């Protein structure tokens, strides 16, 4: 798996260069505006719990890799609760018609983000645990990159609002280590796994797919934030 972990690290470095992350680091922009894409995360944050609970987790199991996956899913299946709390603190919890919420969640502006969990579930369906584990490592790499950026913005925002942000702030980033969680010395364990040619091909494919779907969603959020100014958004709702 050593070369798979190297590929994930390479893709992670590229992922960190996306325009939305540059935008978030631009201190000349109001910190609230730098997080104006937060509602777009809804399909990801809400489906991600389900992906962990109903797709990745398989119990009971004797397979040591599936056991690692299962332990990890118990950490990652409930972070959407923090997301809902942050939406309120960030000022997005205004009165909005239920039908308009549905239009937004199933609309064009969140299409790519809706694809993340869907595509990952399709690409890991009935796969060997090692393929799922590789997908999780790639997901964790993207999460680590994104939350490293959001933590900086929420720290600035906290100075103004005196609010603590659970999902976009330090609370979440402390448990998103960038790697699969719940198992000691997991990095060494992963590095020592020898893959067959067939496994290697499948694992590389799934890693590339994970970065592809996350990259497209991040571009989509950037397009959203360019169109929706935070103040306008508040007025509209
Ligand atoms: Fe999380």
């Amino acid at each position: 798996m050593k070369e798979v972990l190297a590929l994930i690290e390479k893709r992670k470095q590229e992922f960190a260069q996306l325009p939305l992350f540059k935008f978030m680091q631009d201190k000349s922009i109001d910190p609230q505006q730098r997080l104006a894409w937060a509602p777009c995360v809804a399909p990801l944050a809400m489906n991600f719990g389900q992906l962990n609970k109903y797709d990745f987790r398989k119990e009971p199991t004797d397979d040591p890799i599936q056991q690692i996956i299962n332990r990890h899913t118990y950490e990652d299946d409930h972070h959407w609760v923090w997301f809902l709390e942050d939406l309120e603190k960030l000022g997005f919890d205004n009165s909005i018609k239920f039908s308009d919420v549905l239009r937004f969640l199933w609309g064009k502006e969140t299409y790519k983000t809706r694809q993340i969990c869907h595509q990952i579930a399709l690409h890991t369906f009935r796969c060997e645990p090692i393929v799922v584990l590789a997908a999780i490592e790639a997901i964790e790499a993207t999460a680590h990159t994104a939350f490293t950026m959001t933590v900086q913005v929420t720290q600035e925002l906290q100075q103004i609002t005196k609010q603590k942000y659970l999902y976009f702030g330090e609370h979440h980033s402390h448990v998103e280590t960038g790697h699969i969680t719940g198992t000691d010395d997991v990095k060494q364990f992963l590095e020592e796994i020898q893959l067959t040619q067939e496994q290697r091909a499948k694992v590389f494919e799934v890693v590339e797919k994970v970065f592809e779907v996350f990259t497209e969603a991040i571009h989509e959020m950037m397009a959203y934030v360019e169109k929706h100014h935070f103040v306008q958004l508040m007025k509209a709702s």
Side-chain angles (χ1 to χ4, degrees):
M1 278 284 276
K2 234 177 182 172
E3 53 178 341
V4 178
L5 298 177
L7 172 69
I8 292 173
E9 191 50 42
K10 184 168 178 267
R11 293 285 175 260
K12 185 183 177 186
Q13 302 298 331
E14 293 163 3
F15 185 72
Q17 303 305 315
L18 294 180
L20 184 71
F21 300 134
K22 301 274 173 225
F23 170 79
M24 284 165 65
Q25 291 173 79
D26 185 347
K27 292 198 176 187
S28 70
I29 304 166
D30 183 281
Q32 277 188 313
Q33 178 60 19
R34 278 184 271 152
L35 289 176
W37 47 273
C40 302
V41 180
L44 169 61
M46 304 310 286
N47 277 323
F48 196 63
Q50 305 249 313
L51 182 72
N52 276 277
K53 227 171 173 176
Y54 304 121
D55 295 301
F56 290 166
R57 186 181 304 157
K58 291 189 175 61
E59 294 175 319
T61 183
D62 294 329
D63 185 304
I65 296 177
Q66 186 61 50
Q67 285 169 350
I68 292 173
I69 294 169
N70 289 348
R71 279 196 290 276
H72 178 83
T73 65
Y74 282 97
E75 177 54 57
D76 247 356
D77 69 358
H78 59 278
H79 295 175
W80 60 272
V81 178
W82 305 336
F83 175 68
L84 296 186
E85 275 204 45
D86 277 11
L87 283 184
E88 187 184 355
K89 290 171 184 169
L90 289 168
F92 293 108
D93 225 1
N94 314 335
S95 175
I96 176 168
K97 274 171 67 185
F98 187 59
S99 54
D100 285 341
V101 173
L102 295 181
R103 266 187 206 101
F104 172 71
L105 292 177
W106 271 270
K108 279 184 190 163
E109 288 181 313
T110 53
Y111 172 74
K112 295 289 186 188
T113 309
R114 288 200 300 281
Q115 290 297 308
I116 295 177
C117 292
H118 178 57
Q119 288 295 327
I120 293 172
L122 287 176
H123 280 79
T124 53
F125 183 61
R126 290 187 181 159
C127 285
E128 286 182 71
I130 189 65
V131 178
V132 179
L133 190 109
I136 294 174
E137 271 295 296
I139 293 167
E140 289 304 310
T142 65
H144 187 256
T145 304
F147 291 122
T148 301
M149 309 287 176
T150 59
V151 163
Q152 293 168 22
V153 187
T154 54
Q155 277 171 346
E156 287 174 53
L157 206 52
Q158 201 179 326
Q159 304 284 326
I160 307 163
T161 64
K162 311 291 174 214
Q163 295 275 12
K164 277 204 169 147
Y165 302 92
L166 297 181
Y167 190 82
F168 293 109
E170 280 174 339
H171 181 79
H172 196 173
S173 80
H174 276 154
V175 295
E176 300 286 343
T177 58
H179 297 284
I180 201 154
T181 55
T183 305
D184 293 338
D185 301 324
V186 71
K187 193 166 183 276
Q188 197 190 342
F189 175 82
L190 292 178
E191 282 177 352
E192 286 169 4
I193 295 173
Q194 295 292 328
L195 300 173
T196 65
Q197 266 316 98
E198 203 183 325
Q199 285 172 329
R200 185 185 176 279
K202 188 72 197 156
V203 162
F204 266 68
E205 186 194 317
V206 89
V207 166
E208 296 287 13
K209 190 73 201 175
V210 167
F211 279 99
E212 182 192 312
V213 290
F214 271 97
T215 298
E216 287 182 1
I218 295 293
H219 281 307
E220 182 177 73
M221 290 176 205
M222 186 69 216
Y224 178 89
V225 90
E226 281 172 338
K227 271 202 245 159
H228 299 265
H229 193 270
F230 185 80
V231 178
Q232 283 172 355
L233 204 137
M234 298 287 285
K235 275 184 193 159
S237 51

